[in-house]
Each structure stands twice: as C-alpha cells, then as structure tokens.
Amino acid sequence: MRYLILCLSFMIFGCSNQADLKPDLQQSVSEATKESEPVFSVGYADLNGDGLKDALVFLKGMQWCGSGGCTLMIFENLGDSYQLVSKSSVTSTPISVAKTKTNGWKDLIVWSRGSGQVLMKFNGDKYPHNPSLEPLASKSQMAEAHLVLE
C-alpha cells in the first residue's frame, strides 16, 4: 500500500521502484534562486554517469528571461538532495542531452537565439555561462541526442 501511495504521489517522475523517487528539487531551486516559489520547467537525465537523474531546470519569469532567452540551471542529484552545478543565461528550448561527454558529463544541446542549436560542454566545473558563444551542434549530434525539455 505504501508503495502504491508513493507511486501515485510521484507519478510525474515515474515509479518503477523507490530508487526512482527524487529528492526535493523545489527546495534546491528556491535556495539557488532566493525565491520562495520559483517558476520553472524541468527535465531529468543522468548527466554524470552515476546512475542518478540530474535536473535541468529552465527558469521562467521576468527576473530570469530576457530577449535572448532564459536561465538554465543544472542540479546534480546527490541521492538525498540536489546541488547546483551550473547556471547559463540566454538559453532557449529545446534542450537535449547529447551522447557525447566532456570531462565526465554529457554535453548539452540548447537553442541559442541568433545561432541555432549549440553544443555546451562541461569544463570540469560547469557548463558555459553564455551558450551564444558556443559552437553549433552537428547534425549527427542532434540526431543522436535525447530531448529533455521542449
């Protein structure tokens, strides 16, 4: 019965087993943005190969969006919490996860106004702050990528 309740409560995240349940992302985003109720879209993917789905948080609202796009935050899933790893401005959807990796983290493909689909590579600490300065993703990278945010 407990499992059924957990699955119903967390249906949006999937419930094949308890390992699929995710820590409180809302709290982590609130701490990172310093807002009590930030508005955002989220997609999940294991970016660093640790078996836990990390969160790609696309913030919305006047404070986080401008003419060039919105802010994208990447949160690493630590099992019992999320930790902010990276923050990029002027990002737009769609956002996909590439098959390729750089410094142990999967590359991201994001829409950059004026450029198109660009490839964001992890530098060992974070993803690039400004995607508009990054190279275009190749057709094969885009074809093999997994869409996480539309």
Side-chain angles (χ1 to χ4, degrees), residues 1-11 15 18 21:
M1 181 67 169
R2 181 174 179 259
Y3 177 73
L4 178 61
I5 292 170
L6 284 171
C7 282
L8 291 174
S9 299
F10 294 95
M11 224 161 110
C15 288
Q18 280 192 305
L21 301 180

Side-chain angles (χ1 to χ4, degrees), residues 2-145:
R2 181 174 179 259
Y3 177 73
L4 178 61
I5 292 170
L6 284 171
C7 282
L8 291 174
S9 299
F10 294 95
M11 224 161 110
I12 192 167
F13 299 122
C15 288
S16 60
N17 63 47
Q18 280 192 305
D20 287 341
L21 301 180
K22 295 171 182 59
D24 185 4
L25 180 62
Q26 182 73 40
Q27 178 182 347
S28 298
V29 176
S30 290
E31 289 171 6
T33 61
K34 310 230 183 317
E35 292 182 359
S36 60
E37 294 185 25
V39 178
F40 60 91
S41 296
V42 63
Y44 295 96
D46 182 4
L47 297 176
N48 58 3
D50 64 0
L52 299 172
K53 290 193 176 186
D54 306 299
L56 293 85
V57 172
F58 187 72
L59 294 165
K60 299 177 180 180
M62 289 177 31
Q63 181 175 346
W64 303 105
C65 299
S67 60
C70 298
T71 299
L72 173 68
M73 291 184 170
I74 307 299
F75 288 86
E76 180 180 7
N77 185 339
L78 302 177
D80 61 351
S81 65
Y82 283 98
Q83 177 180 326
L84 179 64
V85 171
S86 187
K87 183 169 123 177
S88 303
S89 63
V90 297
T91 304
S92 296
T93 55
I95 298 172
S96 300
V97 176
K99 283 198 170 205
T100 54
K101 287 184 179 182
T102 305
N103 294 310
W105 285 67
K106 290 202 175 169
D107 299 332
L108 302 178
I109 299 174
V110 304
W111 180 261
S112 177
R113 188 175 191 159
S115 299
Q117 300 275 22
V118 297
L119 188 68
M120 293 179 38
K121 296 182 177 189
F122 192 75
N123 71 6
D125 291 317
K126 61 187 176 188
Y127 287 94
H129 177 72
N130 186 345
S132 68
L133 303 175
E134 300 308 308
L136 290 174
S138 70
K139 287 183 181 182
S140 64
Q141 286 169 322
M142 289 188 296
E144 294 175 342

